Amino acid sequence: MDEPTTYTAFHGHRRLANGELRPLLTQVKAQLDELDPHLPLLIFEDRSGRQVDFNLRGTLEEMLEREAPLPKRAGPGRPKLGIVSREVSLLPRHWTWLEEQPGGASAALRRLIDEARKQNPGQERVRQAQTAADRFLGVMAGDLPGFEEASRALYARDLTRFEKHTQAWPEEIRAHALALAAPAFQANRSQEGTDPT
């Protein structure tokens, strides 16, 4: 089963909150009146590193109902199983092949995706970690000294160089970037540990 989606909120260079969406928005909303309006309040989805915008106006209940509603009823797909219906565009020959597979098109696509994910899960985790850290850093550290060198070190999976070029950065930005990039750096250390040279 996939891990729950988590988010991290930053107010300026300070990490304000981290967690699943409803608890995170509740924490942010509770602190909103105390925050300096001149500093940006940014929220990032941790798995992808993407910045996500939420409308925090209104009461807590209004905001949660609008931005993180609880599931109300079953719709297309099978939400209780985590299955969500979306549109897929394929050529006619692809649809023909999929429809001939055991279980139909949806089952065949799920099997293909699961097989692809199993082929090299370590490499996929590394790629995902690098992309998430890079997106986060592009927003939060793009104008900080050493950003380009740190980005190159991230993709080279060189933790020592990454730490060197991020040393002068605000601690909470640096710590969050290291947490997002951890699978890439850990995988590199594992490979170095098994290198016979």
Side-chain angles (χ1 to χ4, degrees), residues 24 33 45 47 59 109 116 137 139 156 158 161 172 186:
L24 175 118
D33 292 337
E45 193 267 319
R47 185 175 296 145
T59 66
L109 285 171
L137 290 174
V139 174
D158 186 335
R161 257 188 349 166
E172 292 184 349
Q186 288 168 355

Side-chain angles (χ1 to χ4, degrees), residues 75-139:
R78 293 186 279 182
K80 286 185 180 179
L81 299 176
I83 298 173
V84 179
S85 292
R86 293 194 183 161
E87 185 175 321
V88 176
S89 299
L90 299 172
L91 294 171
R93 69 178 182 271
H94 300 137
W95 283 115
T96 302
W97 183 86
L98 282 170
E99 289 163 358
E100 293 170 353
Q101 302 308 303
S106 293
L109 285 171
R110 286 193 295 270
R111 280 194 306 273
L112 289 169
I113 291 167
D114 287 341
E115 287 171 19
R117 291 177 71 190
K118 288 177 189 173
Q119 283 181 0
N120 198 338
Q123 186 176 4
E124 177 60 20
R125 260 191 314 277
V126 166
R127 185 201 59 76
Q128 189 177 38
Q130 288 171 320
T131 302
D134 189 47
R135 283 182 183 138
F136 168 74
L137 290 174
V139 174

Side-chain angles (χ1 to χ4, degrees), residues 12-176:
H13 291 160
R14 182 171 68 95
R15 192 171 96 152
L16 196 60
N18 173 263
E20 293 183 42
L21 186 56
R22 287 181 71 86
L24 175 118
L25 290 176
T26 301
Q27 277 187 276
V28 169
K29 183 73 172 168
Q31 299 177 60
L32 212 48
D33 292 337
E34 303 162 15
L35 301 179
D36 182 343
H38 299 101
L39 294 176
L41 173 61
L42 303 174
I43 300 175
F44 297 88
E45 193 267 319
D46 293 330
R47 185 175 296 145
S48 69
R50 291 185 195 280
Q51 183 184 339
V52 188
D53 292 323
F54 295 102
N55 178 351
L56 303 177
R57 285 181 279 206
T59 66
L60 174 63
E61 292 75 22
E62 291 169 341
M63 189 246 331
L64 289 175
E65 181 59 32
R66 180 179 57 245
E67 300 298 331
L70 293 170
K72 291 183 180 170
R73 59 182 174 81
R78 293 186 279 182
K80 286 185 180 179
L81 299 176
I83 298 173
V84 179
S85 292
R86 293 194 183 161
E87 185 175 321
V88 176
S89 299
L90 299 172
L91 294 171
R93 69 178 182 271
H94 300 137
W95 283 115
T96 302
W97 183 86
L98 282 170
E99 289 163 358
E100 293 170 353
Q101 302 308 303
S106 293
L109 285 171
R110 286 193 295 270
R111 280 194 306 273
L112 289 169
I113 291 167
D114 287 341
E115 287 171 19
R117 291 177 71 190
K118 288 177 189 173
Q119 283 181 0
N120 198 338
Q123 186 176 4
E124 177 60 20
R125 260 191 314 277
V126 166
R127 185 201 59 76
Q128 189 177 38
Q130 288 171 320
T131 302
D134 189 47
R135 283 182 183 138
F136 168 74
L137 290 174
V139 174
M140 294 299 291
D143 60 350
L144 294 177
F147 167 74
E148 289 182 16
E149 294 83 359
S151 184
R152 282 193 281 275
L154 169 66
Y155 283 100
R157 295 162 54 191
D158 186 335
L159 179 59
T160 305
R161 257 188 349 166
F162 185 85
E163 288 178 331
K164 174 186 171 191
H165 293 296
T166 61
Q167 188 125 19
W169 293 4
E171 183 54 39
E172 292 184 349
I173 290 176
R174 186 173 187 263
H176 191 63

